Amino acid sequence: MARIATIFGASGEQGSSVLNSILKDGTFKPRVVTRNTNSESSKKFVDLGAEVVQADSGDRESLKKALAGSEVVFLVTFLFGATSEFDQGKNVIDISKEVGVKFLVFSSLPSLTELSKGKYTQAFHFDDKQKIQKYLDASGLPCASISTGWFLENLLKVNRKGQPTFEKTSNGYVYHAFGFPGMAYAVSWIQHDLGQTFVALAKQYDTRPDEVLGQNFVIGIARPKVEDIVKELSEGLGAPVELKYEGKIGLAPFDEMYASAAELDWYPGVEFPDPRLEKLGVKLGTIEEFARTTLKAHVGA
């Protein structure tokens, strides 16, 4: 019988990393949860070899059908969804437990309200994920969590001003960064590291339970200041990178996220890279490697 790994958010950065790693590894049969099984992305998932099922995280009955027979689950929740982020997580956790899921991995974040002692209260995507984390921990469902930092993949996207976040110039590159000078935050290469971490946990939750169950793993490459990130990007690209601050985004959850990074450690006491992940066979990438491979190809250098 196939060992089914059910994936939420496969069209996004995190879920696609998990899907790709599952397909590459071959231990589990991937099942993708989507609201529209006839979409172009759903057809691509089928072509890749995934099972695609319809469900909505706000509809518990549809979740029962989608999760039935799953051995492991990857759960990521989304800010600005039709269902509140906490309810998205609660529903999936409740139904996973009800249908007999053996292991669930949640994409988590710390609470900035708690870390800042009430100074930053609008970063809902942090706070709500921590509420889900606490609910999961108390549920009795065998689980682990993967926490992330700032995504290196953000450098590949167009920002909210409609300009490339990272672009080539006549004598090098420019990085249009939102936020504040001196920010220092955990940095995560999602496509390289999240999927392989999920697969490592899913393959070893039952053979190495003391090292996996109930654990929170931060897939942080490092905890540098933005100015130091730029130096590593420059090294990988082999050309100078200009750092240009664009100020605030204009959305409170994200502006508070960046403001907090200028004065708070999101993961106090956590060693980067996490030696526990190395023991489980996970080797995280580096900022320089990301620049030399993915970023360089993206900007056409």
Side-chain angles (χ1 to χ4, degrees):
M1 179 180 292
R3 301 176 67 183
I4 297 174
T6 296
I7 307 157
F8 287 84
S11 296
E13 201 73 68
Q14 298 187 56
S16 63
S17 177
V18 171
L19 173 60
N20 291 334
S21 291
I22 289 172
L23 289 168
K24 181 179 180 180
D25 175 76
T27 301
F28 297 94
K29 170 72 174 180
R31 175 186 290 173
V32 170
V33 179
T34 178
R35 284 180 293 180
N36 181 7
T37 57
N38 294 316
S39 68
E40 288 303 314
S41 59
S42 294
K43 294 174 184 177
K44 291 179 181 177
F45 296 146
V46 172
D47 290 341
L48 289 171
E51 176 188 3
V52 177
V53 296
Q54 189 281 328
D56 189 303
S57 55
D59 182 348
R60 293 169 71 95
E61 287 304 313
S62 69
L63 287 173
K64 288 181 183 179
K65 297 177 182 178
L67 290 167
S70 302
E71 178 182 343
V72 298
V73 171
F74 173 73
L75 170 61
V76 60
T77 56
F78 299 97
L79 185 65
F80 306 132
T83 303
S84 74
E85 194 159 355
F86 177 76
D87 283 342
Q88 293 172 43
K90 181 179 184 298
N91 288 342
V92 173
I93 292 165
D94 289 347
I95 301 304
S96 292
K97 188 174 180 180
E98 182 178 327
V99 302
V101 168
K102 291 183 169 60
F103 180 59
L104 184 146
V105 176
F106 174 54
S107 175
S108 189
L109 287 171
S111 166
L112 294 189
T113 294
E114 293 177 6
L115 282 175
S116 69
K117 296 181 171 55
K119 181 176 181 179
Y120 298 113
T121 61
Q122 301 299 308
F124 305 116
H125 52 314
F126 278 72
D127 289 356
D128 286 350
K129 285 182 176 63
Q130 187 56 213
K131 292 175 184 176
I132 297 168
Q133 179 71 64
K134 291 177 179 178
Y135 186 83
L136 175 61
D137 291 341
S139 71
L141 181 67
C143 65
S145 59
I146 301 173
S147 290
T148 61
W150 182 82
F151 294 8
L152 283 172
E153 284 82 1
N154 290 336
L155 295 169
L156 310 178
K157 299 176 181 178
V158 173
N159 65 26
R160 291 187 176 274
K161 289 186 176 181
Q163 64 191 163
T165 299
F166 198 92
E167 58 185 339
K168 199 175 189 307
T169 65
S170 59
N171 61 347
Y173 304 88
V174 61
Y175 167 28
H176 300 279
F178 286 105
F180 310 88
M183 294 184 302
Y185 36 55
V187 175
S188 299
W189 185 357
I190 299 301
Q191 287 299 321
H192 187 280
D193 296 332
L194 193 147
Q196 65 158 321
T197 299
F198 173 84
V199 168
L201 300 180
K203 290 171 67 174
Q204 298 175 88
Y205 76 90
D206 54 346
T207 58
R208 303 170 74 170
D210 292 344
E211 298 174 73
V212 174
L213 297 182
Q215 301 298 309
N216 176 43
F217 300 92
V218 182
I219 53 168
I221 294 171
R223 191 191 281 111
K225 291 184 178 180
V226 176
E227 292 78 4
D228 294 323
I229 294 174
V230 167
K231 290 178 183 178
E232 292 197 51
L233 294 175
S234 178
E235 182 180 339
L237 291 166
V241 176
E242 177 189 357
L243 175 59
K244 183 178 179 182
Y245 280 104
E246 301 292 338
K248 293 184 178 181
I249 290 178
L251 288 174
F254 302 105
D255 287 332
E256 287 207 350
M257 174 185 73
Y258 285 124
S260 74
E263 60 180 274
L264 298 173
D265 183 348
W266 291 349
Y267 299 109
V270 176
E271 184 178 350
F272 289 173
D274 192 333
R276 298 175 301 162
L277 288 176
E278 290 189 11
K279 291 179 181 178
L280 293 170
V282 176
K283 183 173 177 55
L284 302 183
T286 67
I287 297 171
E288 184 276 334
E289 180 187 359
F290 171 82
R292 177 167 37 83
T293 57
T294 304
L295 185 57
K296 181 173 284 190
H298 174 75
V299 294

